[in-house]
Amino acid sequence: PARYFDTRTTEPISFFLSSLEELLAWQPNSNDEFNVSAVPLAKRQPPLLSKRPRTLVCHDMRGGYLEDRFIQGSATRNPYVFYHWRYIDIFVYFSHHTVTIPPVCWTNAAHRNGVPVLGTFITEWTDGERLCEAFLAGGEEAYRAVAEQLARIAQHYRFDGWLVNMENTLSAAAVESLPPFLRYLTARVHSVVPGGLVIWYDSVLQNGMLKWQNELNEDNRVFFDACDGLFTNYNWKEENLERTRRLAGPRYTDVYVGIDVFGRGDVIGGGFDTDKSLRLIRQHGLSAAIFAPGWVYEHLGEENFLQNENKFWGLLAEYLPTHSICTLPLATSFSLGMGTSRFLDGKEEEVGPWYDLSVQEIQPLYPEHEGRLSTSCCLQDAWCGGSSLRVQGTILPGEERVATRLFSLQMPAPPKLFLTLLYKLEGPHPDELTIALELTTWDSGTCHEGNVTSLPEPNGRHHPRFLPAPPPGLAKLLAACHRGSHGWTSRCYELDLQDCSLRDLSLLVSRHQPSSQEMPFSCLLGEVRVLDAASVAASPPQVQSLVASQLWWQ
């Protein structure tokens, strides 16, 4: 069927629903198993609903369902990718189809990085009026049937809820049913989707008029009270923020103030001035909804996209509270889910462009310190997948080392950790530098390293011991401790900790000789792993009852 398979190539594709009839007729179907997310939502710290301002990203690009609709990937040159997951809390996939089911590749990539994904339920223009009249003015049974289907769809495809956007006027009968519809939808989503969310877009008022308010006020509050949050329109000024903060009361972090990165209409700042809008929102303690950050790709072009993307998010970083990883194992090859080649064990296996967000790996922090330090993606060389992480910077005169934070962590440390690192030094003086990993722990009077001889490190910095060979029983998993291949160097480490809580994982670049000269460096990271020794020793569960279906022989 054309909904599930591309008519030109027969490949499985992600899809949307275009009408109320299609929504009400929707049933799970064996053809759509490709569309079910295979990656559970990773846990994070602090939890999403903690009392700090959140960041929602609303992805709206050229109508949606572009190359990202191909569930098994495509040979796309210079695709749009998003990878600043550590800096955002919620991802919304937006299109103008009635029921936008997020392409499964986005759900997989976001979940792997601890970010929930919402689809969009939208009604617009006169068609939208008719649709709303049909299900809202039709009374409780009619609107409950719609809510039930929306909740079932999120549950079935394993994404996390809905943005509800009604961009048309409503009759008195329809608008009267809207708050109970939102309450029922929210309750159903919460009951079938763990951590599920329903967010309302600032459009219709409680009298049924379509009039964007750019704030939370008495005219739209009834909808805010009926669900998990409000996403405001974009043309606000500071007084709108003040009124919103007052009216929201204790739920002020449930208001997501809209920022249109395209800067349409009378806005404070978009494009590379988006930080001006974000700064004001944060001064009032509110959450933010960044709409169409694909501006970087659409407006500035795809040629220098990765560079421009890092610049865009780097300018916002100080206003984006990050979330930490709180479970082990942590293992990543930094792949963005795209590339100009595919690599395996440091060797180029296949040349040619590819794009598949489902195989994007866990993404690190992307710290920038003007001129002194930067992290970016390198597509020309990788250990595994399509790219590696390039860390570039300068060791200042008189200093011996630079530490680059890769991941922020928040979890109790197991008694014994194994760490592995694959790297390649670029640049003129590779033999004058040492690369290692550093783990920091949260300050506590009890925390210390395990072996009796070691003194407690000041400020909780731990330098894991280098293992020249893998410990017995781990040879297979840590096979390449003492050797690399294709120019990559491989290292294994162990660290014993007692009563500690992990805080940061950093890359440490040190020079052998102190010097009054500054020393530039460039290092590619191919893979990093942090493993709990106890679970590594246990044998992994065996795969059982494997079934192959939907085969297409070429």
Side-chain angles (χ1 to χ4, degrees), residues 308-337:
N308 290 328
E309 182 77 342
N310 288 346
K311 177 183 171 182
F312 177 82
W313 290 99
L315 289 167
L316 303 182
E318 66 174 295
Y319 308 111
L320 301 173
T322 58
H323 46 93
S324 306
I325 290 172
C326 61
T327 51
L328 293 180
L330 163 57
T332 182
S333 68
F334 305 102
S335 178
L336 295 187

PDB file of all heavy atoms in Angstrom, residues 308-337:
ATOM      1  N   ASN A 308      27.796  26.112  10.479  1.00  0.00           N
ATOM      2  CA  ASN A 308      26.779  27.101  10.846  1.00  0.00           C
ATOM      3  C   ASN A 308      25.902  26.609  11.993  1.00  0.00           C
ATOM      4  O   ASN A 308      25.495  27.382  12.859  1.00  0.00           O
ATOM      5  CB  ASN A 308      25.892  27.439   9.636  1.00  0.00           C
ATOM      6  CG  ASN A 308      26.653  28.242   8.587  1.00  0.00           C
ATOM      7  OD1 ASN A 308      27.540  29.017   8.917  1.00  0.00           O
ATOM      8  ND2 ASN A 308      26.317  28.036   7.322  1.00  0.00           N
ATOM      9  N   GLU A 309      25.612  25.310  11.987  1.00  0.00           N
ATOM     10  CA  GLU A 309      24.784  24.721  13.044  1.00  0.00           C
ATOM     11  C   GLU A 309      25.478  24.843  14.403  1.00  0.00           C
ATOM     12  O   GLU A 309      24.865  25.209  15.408  1.00  0.00           O
ATOM     13  CB  GLU A 309      24.506  23.254  12.687  1.00  0.00           C
ATOM     14  CG  GLU A 309      23.619  22.515  13.648  1.00  0.00           C
ATOM     15  CD  GLU A 309      22.134  22.843  13.527  1.00  0.00           C
ATOM     16  OE1 GLU A 309      21.759  23.868  12.940  1.00  0.00           O
ATOM     17  OE2 GLU A 309      21.333  22.055  14.057  1.00  0.00           O
ATOM     18  N   ASN A 310      26.779  24.549  14.421  1.00  0.00           N
ATOM     19  CA  ASN A 310      27.523  24.675  15.685  1.00  0.00           C
ATOM     20  C   ASN A 310      27.556  26.124  16.146  1.00  0.00           C
ATOM     21  O   ASN A 310      27.473  26.423  17.335  1.00  0.00           O
ATOM     22  CB  ASN A 310      28.944  24.127  15.535  1.00  0.00           C
ATOM     23  CG  ASN A 310      28.951  22.611  15.437  1.00  0.00           C
ATOM     24  OD1 ASN A 310      27.952  21.962  15.728  1.00  0.00           O
ATOM     25  ND2 ASN A 310      30.069  22.047  15.031  1.00  0.00           N
ATOM     26  N   LYS A 311      27.666  27.046  15.188  1.00  0.00           N
ATOM     27  CA  LYS A 311      27.666  28.469  15.541  1.00  0.00           C
ATOM     28  C   LYS A 311      26.310  28.862  16.143  1.00  0.00           C
ATOM     29  O   LYS A 311      26.240  29.522  17.182  1.00  0.00           O
ATOM     30  CB  LYS A 311      27.969  29.316  14.293  1.00  0.00           C
ATOM     31  CG  LYS A 311      27.915  30.822  14.545  1.00  0.00           C
ATOM     32  CD  LYS A 311      28.147  31.632  13.271  1.00  0.00           C
ATOM     33  CE  LYS A 311      27.877  33.116  13.517  1.00  0.00           C
ATOM     34  NZ  LYS A 311      28.041  33.921  12.286  1.00  0.00           N
ATOM     35  N   PHE A 312      25.224  28.430  15.487  1.00  0.00           N
ATOM     36  CA  PHE A 312      23.875  28.788  15.937  1.00  0.00           C
ATOM     37  C   PHE A 312      23.635  28.316  17.370  1.00  0.00           C
ATOM     38  O   PHE A 312      23.227  29.086  18.243  1.00  0.00           O
ATOM     39  CB  PHE A 312      22.828  28.174  14.986  1.00  0.00           C
ATOM     40  CG  PHE A 312      21.407  28.425  15.407  1.00  0.00           C
ATOM     41  CD1 PHE A 312      20.784  29.627  15.105  1.00  0.00           C
ATOM     42  CD2 PHE A 312      20.683  27.459  16.112  1.00  0.00           C
ATOM     43  CE1 PHE A 312      19.467  29.874  15.494  1.00  0.00           C
ATOM     44  CE2 PHE A 312      19.365  27.701  16.508  1.00  0.00           C
ATOM     45  CZ  PHE A 312      18.764  28.915  16.198  1.00  0.00           C
ATOM     46  N   TRP A 313      23.894  27.025  17.634  1.00  0.00           N
ATOM     47  CA  TRP A 313      23.624  26.490  18.968  1.00  0.00           C
ATOM     48  C   TRP A 313      24.657  26.979  19.987  1.00  0.00           C
ATOM     49  O   TRP A 313      24.339  27.136  21.172  1.00  0.00           O
ATOM     50  CB  TRP A 313      23.523  24.964  18.933  1.00  0.00           C
ATOM     51  CG  TRP A 313      22.262  24.557  18.215  1.00  0.00           C
ATOM     52  CD1 TRP A 313      22.150  24.163  16.912  1.00  0.00           C
ATOM     53  CD2 TRP A 313      20.928  24.585  18.731  1.00  0.00           C
ATOM     54  NE1 TRP A 313      20.830  23.933  16.588  1.00  0.00           N
ATOM     55  CE2 TRP A 313      20.061  24.186  17.688  1.00  0.00           C
ATOM     56  CE3 TRP A 313      20.393  24.906  19.978  1.00  0.00           C
ATOM     57  CZ2 TRP A 313      18.681  24.092  17.866  1.00  0.00           C
ATOM     58  CZ3 TRP A 313      19.018  24.813  20.148  1.00  0.00           C
ATOM     59  CH2 TRP A 313      18.182  24.414  19.100  1.00  0.00           C
ATOM     60  N   GLY A 314      25.884  27.236  19.513  1.00  0.00           N
ATOM     61  CA  GLY A 314      26.913  27.779  20.409  1.00  0.00           C
ATOM     62  C   GLY A 314      26.514  29.135  20.971  1.00  0.00           C
ATOM     63  O   GLY A 314      26.766  29.449  22.144  1.00  0.00           O
ATOM     64  N   LEU A 315      25.835  29.958  20.144  1.00  0.00           N
ATOM     65  CA  LEU A 315      25.391  31.283  20.602  1.00  0.00           C
ATOM     66  C   LEU A 315      24.277  31.179  21.653  1.00  0.00           C
ATOM     67  O   LEU A 315      24.073  32.086  22.453  1.00  0.00           O
ATOM     68  CB  LEU A 315      24.873  32.114  19.416  1.00  0.00           C
ATOM     69  CG  LEU A 315      25.939  32.607  18.426  1.00  0.00           C
ATOM     70  CD1 LEU A 315      25.283  33.127  17.149  1.00  0.00           C
ATOM     71  CD2 LEU A 315      26.798  33.701  19.067  1.00  0.00           C
ATOM     72  N   LEU A 316      23.526  30.063  21.618  1.00  0.00           N
ATOM     73  CA  LEU A 316      22.406  29.899  22.551  1.00  0.00           C
ATOM     74  C   LEU A 316      22.792  29.143  23.814  1.00  0.00           C
ATOM     75  O   LEU A 316      22.045  29.143  24.801  1.00  0.00           O
ATOM     76  CB  LEU A 316      21.262  29.126  21.866  1.00  0.00           C
ATOM     77  CG  LEU A 316      20.703  29.704  20.567  1.00  0.00           C
ATOM     78  CD1 LEU A 316      19.551  28.835  20.068  1.00  0.00           C
ATOM     79  CD2 LEU A 316      20.234  31.140  20.757  1.00  0.00           C
ATOM     80  N   ALA A 317      23.963  28.485  23.786  1.00  0.00           N
ATOM     81  CA  ALA A 317      24.276  27.475  24.811  1.00  0.00           C
ATOM     82  C   ALA A 317      24.152  27.990  26.244  1.00  0.00           C
ATOM     83  O   ALA A 317      23.702  27.267  27.126  1.00  0.00           O
ATOM     84  CB  ALA A 317      25.670  26.895  24.571  1.00  0.00           C
ATOM     85  N   GLU A 318      24.519  29.266  26.486  1.00  0.00           N
ATOM     86  CA  GLU A 318      24.491  29.716  27.893  1.00  0.00           C
ATOM     87  C   GLU A 318      23.068  29.807  28.439  1.00  0.00           C
ATOM     88  O   GLU A 318      22.864  29.881  29.648  1.00  0.00           O
ATOM     89  CB  GLU A 318      25.233  31.040  28.066  1.00  0.00           C
ATOM     90  CG  GLU A 318      24.595  32.226  27.377  1.00  0.00           C
ATOM     91  CD  GLU A 318      25.300  33.549  27.714  1.00  0.00           C
ATOM     92  OE1 GLU A 318      25.264  33.950  28.893  1.00  0.00           O
ATOM     93  OE2 GLU A 318      25.876  34.161  26.789  1.00  0.00           O
ATOM     94  N   TYR A 319      22.059  29.797  27.548  1.00  0.00           N
ATOM     95  CA  TYR A 319      20.658  29.869  27.999  1.00  0.00           C
ATOM     96  C   TYR A 319      19.953  28.523  27.904  1.00  0.00           C
ATOM     97  O   TYR A 319      18.730  28.453  28.019  1.00  0.00           O
ATOM     98  CB  TYR A 319      19.889  30.906  27.169  1.00  0.00           C
ATOM     99  CG  TYR A 319      20.579  32.246  27.132  1.00  0.00           C
ATOM    100  CD1 TYR A 319      21.159  32.725  25.951  1.00  0.00           C
ATOM    101  CD2 TYR A 319      20.682  33.021  28.281  1.00  0.00           C
ATOM    102  CE1 TYR A 319      21.812  33.941  25.924  1.00  0.00           C
ATOM    103  CE2 TYR A 319      21.341  34.240  28.267  1.00  0.00           C
ATOM    104  CZ  TYR A 319      21.907  34.700  27.084  1.00  0.00           C
ATOM    105  OH  TYR A 319      22.563  35.893  27.065  1.00  0.00           O
ATOM    106  N   LEU A 320      20.717  27.452  27.648  1.00  0.00           N
ATOM    107  CA  LEU A 320      20.122  26.125  27.462  1.00  0.00           C
ATOM    108  C   LEU A 320      20.626  25.180  28.542  1.00  0.00           C
ATOM    109  O   LEU A 320      21.725  24.633  28.423  1.00  0.00           O
ATOM    110  CB  LEU A 320      20.493  25.568  26.081  1.00  0.00           C
ATOM    111  CG  LEU A 320      20.072  26.397  24.866  1.00  0.00           C
ATOM    112  CD1 LEU A 320      20.656  25.811  23.583  1.00  0.00           C
ATOM    113  CD2 LEU A 320      18.550  26.502  24.755  1.00  0.00           C
ATOM    114  N   PRO A 321      19.854  24.972  29.621  1.00  0.00           N
ATOM    115  CA  PRO A 321      20.291  24.018  30.642  1.00  0.00           C
ATOM    116  C   PRO A 321      20.407  22.625  30.017  1.00  0.00           C
ATOM    117  O   PRO A 321      19.486  22.182  29.332  1.00  0.00           O
ATOM    118  CB  PRO A 321      19.176  24.054  31.689  1.00  0.00           C
ATOM    119  CG  PRO A 321      18.351  25.255  31.378  1.00  0.00           C
ATOM    120  CD  PRO A 321      18.543  25.569  29.928  1.00  0.00           C
ATOM    121  N   THR A 322      21.539  21.957  30.212  1.00  0.00           N
ATOM    122  CA  THR A 322      21.741  20.640  29.586  1.00  0.00           C
ATOM    123  C   THR A 322      21.243  19.544  30.530  1.00  0.00           C
ATOM    124  O   THR A 322      21.096  19.768  31.726  1.00  0.00           O
ATOM    125  CB  THR A 322      23.230  20.397  29.289  1.00  0.00           C
ATOM    126  OG1 THR A 322      23.956  20.489  30.515  1.00  0.00           O
ATOM    127  CG2 THR A 322      23.764  21.422  28.302  1.00  0.00           C
ATOM    128  N   HIS A 323      20.986  18.365  29.962  1.00  0.00           N
ATOM    129  CA  HIS A 323      20.633  17.236  30.822  1.00  0.00           C
ATOM    130  C   HIS A 323      21.735  16.188  30.763  1.00  0.00           C
ATOM    131  O   HIS A 323      22.464  16.079  29.776  1.00  0.00           O
ATOM    132  CB  HIS A 323      19.268  16.638  30.469  1.00  0.00           C
ATOM    133  CG  HIS A 323      19.016  16.412  29.014  1.00  0.00           C
ATOM    134  ND1 HIS A 323      19.271  15.228  28.373  1.00  0.00           N
ATOM    135  CD2 HIS A 323      18.526  17.247  28.062  1.00  0.00           C
ATOM    136  CE1 HIS A 323      18.939  15.318  27.100  1.00  0.00           C
ATOM    137  NE2 HIS A 323      18.483  16.542  26.883  1.00  0.00           N
ATOM    138  N   SER A 324      21.851  15.439  31.850  1.00  0.00           N
ATOM    139  CA  SER A 324      22.976  14.522  32.034  1.00  0.00           C
ATOM    140  C   SER A 324      22.552  13.080  31.799  1.00  0.00           C
ATOM    141  O   SER A 324      21.390  12.718  31.994  1.00  0.00           O
ATOM    142  CB  SER A 324      23.515  14.640  33.462  1.00  0.00           C
ATOM    143  OG  SER A 324      23.832  15.977  33.756  1.00  0.00           O
ATOM    144  N   ILE A 325      23.543  12.270  31.437  1.00  0.00           N
ATOM    145  CA  ILE A 325      23.342  10.828  31.287  1.00  0.00           C
ATOM    146  C   ILE A 325      23.339  10.203  32.683  1.00  0.00           C
ATOM    147  O   ILE A 325      24.154  10.572  33.526  1.00  0.00           O
ATOM    148  CB  ILE A 325      24.474  10.261  30.412  1.00  0.00           C
ATOM    149  CG1 ILE A 325      24.278  10.763  28.975  1.00  0.00           C
ATOM    150  CG2 ILE A 325      24.519   8.746  30.479  1.00  0.00           C
ATOM    151  CD1 ILE A 325      25.409  10.442  28.036  1.00  0.00           C
ATOM    152  N   CYS A 326      22.421   9.274  32.934  1.00  0.00           N
ATOM    153  CA  CYS A 326      22.358   8.714  34.292  1.00  0.00           C
ATOM    154  C   CYS A 326      22.322   7.188  34.304  1.00  0.00           C
ATOM    155  O   CYS A 326      21.959   6.588  35.308  1.00  0.00           O
ATOM    156  CB  CYS A 326      21.168   9.293  35.041  1.00  0.00           C
ATOM    157  SG  CYS A 326      19.578   8.948  34.287  1.00  0.00           S
ATOM    158  N   THR A 327      22.686   6.551  33.171  1.00  0.00           N
ATOM    159  CA  THR A 327      22.760   5.086  33.152  1.00  0.00           C
ATOM    160  C   THR A 327      24.011   4.647  32.402  1.00  0.00           C
ATOM    161  O   THR A 327      24.490   5.340  31.508  1.00  0.00           O
ATOM    162  CB  THR A 327      21.533   4.475  32.430  1.00  0.00           C
ATOM    163  OG1 THR A 327      21.381   5.114  31.160  1.00  0.00           O
ATOM    164  CG2 THR A 327      20.258   4.664  33.224  1.00  0.00           C
ATOM    165  N   LEU A 328      24.525   3.475  32.777  1.00  0.00           N
ATOM    166  CA  LEU A 328      25.633   2.853  32.044  1.00  0.00           C
ATOM    167  C   LEU A 328      25.083   1.586  31.400  1.00  0.00           C
ATOM    168  O   LEU A 328      24.091   1.048  31.865  1.00  0.00           O
ATOM    169  CB  LEU A 328      26.777   2.514  33.009  1.00  0.00           C
ATOM    170  CG  LEU A 328      27.500   3.719  33.637  1.00  0.00           C
ATOM    171  CD1 LEU A 328      28.608   3.241  34.580  1.00  0.00           C
ATOM    172  CD2 LEU A 328      28.078   4.643  32.572  1.00  0.00           C
ATOM    173  N   PRO A 329      25.688   1.054  30.343  1.00  0.00           N
ATOM    174  CA  PRO A 329      26.912   1.558  29.707  1.00  0.00           C
ATOM    175  C   PRO A 329      26.653   2.818  28.876  1.00  0.00           C
ATOM    176  O   PRO A 329      25.545   3.028  28.392  1.00  0.00           O
ATOM    177  CB  PRO A 329      27.303   0.401  28.790  1.00  0.00           C
ATOM    178  CG  PRO A 329      25.997  -0.271  28.458  1.00  0.00           C
ATOM    179  CD  PRO A 329      25.166  -0.158  29.712  1.00  0.00           C
ATOM    180  N   LEU A 330      27.710   3.617  28.755  1.00  0.00           N
ATOM    181  CA  LEU A 330      27.713   4.747  27.824  1.00  0.00           C
ATOM    182  C   LEU A 330      28.709   4.374  26.735  1.00  0.00           C
ATOM    183  O   LEU A 330      29.888   4.144  27.015  1.00  0.00           O
ATOM    184  CB  LEU A 330      28.162   6.018  28.555  1.00  0.00           C
ATOM    185  CG  LEU A 330      28.609   7.197  27.685  1.00  0.00           C
ATOM    186  CD1 LEU A 330      27.523   7.622  26.716  1.00  0.00           C
ATOM    187  CD2 LEU A 330      29.032   8.380  28.549  1.00  0.00           C
ATOM    188  N   ALA A 331      28.223   4.268  25.509  1.00  0.00           N
ATOM    189  CA  ALA A 331      29.115   3.899  24.404  1.00  0.00           C
ATOM    190  C   ALA A 331      28.688   4.673  23.172  1.00  0.00           C
ATOM    191  O   ALA A 331      27.499   4.716  22.846  1.00  0.00           O
ATOM    192  CB  ALA A 331      29.019   2.399  24.128  1.00  0.00           C
ATOM    193  N   THR A 332      29.644   5.319  22.513  1.00  0.00           N
ATOM    194  CA  THR A 332      29.288   6.082  21.319  1.00  0.00           C
ATOM    195  C   THR A 332      30.469   6.196  20.368  1.00  0.00           C
ATOM    196  O   THR A 332      31.620   6.260  20.801  1.00  0.00           O
ATOM    197  CB  THR A 332      28.785   7.495  21.681  1.00  0.00           C
ATOM    198  OG1 THR A 332      28.416   8.177  20.468  1.00  0.00           O
ATOM    199  CG2 THR A 332      29.831   8.323  22.399  1.00  0.00           C
ATOM    200  N   SER A 333      30.159   6.208  19.072  1.00  0.00           N
ATOM    201  CA  SER A 333      31.187   6.510  18.073  1.00  0.00           C
ATOM    202  C   SER A 333      30.936   7.894  17.471  1.00  0.00           C
ATOM    203  O   SER A 333      31.541   8.241  16.478  1.00  0.00           O
ATOM    204  CB  SER A 333      31.178   5.445  16.974  1.00  0.00           C
ATOM    205  OG  SER A 333      29.986   5.565  16.243  1.00  0.00           O
ATOM    206  N   PHE A 334      30.015   8.653  18.066  1.00  0.00           N
ATOM    207  CA  PHE A 334      29.745  10.058  17.709  1.00  0.00           C
ATOM    208  C   PHE A 334      29.086  10.240  16.337  1.00  0.00           C
ATOM    209  O   PHE A 334      28.893  11.368  15.896  1.00  0.00           O
ATOM    210  CB  PHE A 334      31.023  10.915  17.776  1.00  0.00           C
ATOM    211  CG  PHE A 334      31.713  10.842  19.109  1.00  0.00           C
ATOM    212  CD1 PHE A 334      32.848  10.064  19.293  1.00  0.00           C
ATOM    213  CD2 PHE A 334      31.198  11.544  20.193  1.00  0.00           C
ATOM    214  CE1 PHE A 334      33.469   9.996  20.533  1.00  0.00           C
ATOM    215  CE2 PHE A 334      31.819  11.482  21.436  1.00  0.00           C
ATOM    216  CZ  PHE A 334      32.962  10.707  21.608  1.00  0.00           C
ATOM    217  N   SER A 335      28.736   9.157  15.660  1.00  0.00           N
ATOM    218  CA  SER A 335      28.164   9.276  14.314  1.00  0.00           C
ATOM    219  C   SER A 335      26.891  10.125  14.333  1.00  0.00           C
ATOM    220  O   SER A 335      26.054   9.985  15.222  1.00  0.00           O
ATOM    221  CB  SER A 335      27.843   7.884  13.770  1.00  0.00           C
ATOM    222  OG  SER A 335      27.257   7.990  12.495  1.00  0.00           O
ATOM    223  N   LEU A 336      26.742  11.010  13.328  1.00  0.00           N
ATOM    224  CA  LEU A 336      25.576  11.888  13.256  1.00  0.00           C
ATOM    225  C   LEU A 336      24.399  11.231  12.537  1.00  0.00           C
ATOM    226  O   LEU A 336      23.337  11.838  12.415  1.00  0.00           O
ATOM    227  CB  LEU A 336      25.926  13.179  12.490  1.00  0.00           C
ATOM    228  CG  LEU A 336      26.948  14.115  13.121  1.00  0.00           C
ATOM    229  CD1 LEU A 336      27.037  15.398  12.306  1.00  0.00           C
ATOM    230  CD2 LEU A 336      26.597  14.438  14.555  1.00  0.00           C
ATOM    231  N   GLY A 337      24.592  10.008  12.034  1.00  0.00           N
ATOM    232  CA  GLY A 337      23.521   9.392  11.246  1.00  0.00           C
ATOM    233  C   GLY A 337      23.555   9.841   9.802  1.00  0.00           C
ATOM    234  O   GLY A 337      22.540   9.851   9.115  1.00  0.00           O
TER     235      GLY A 337
END
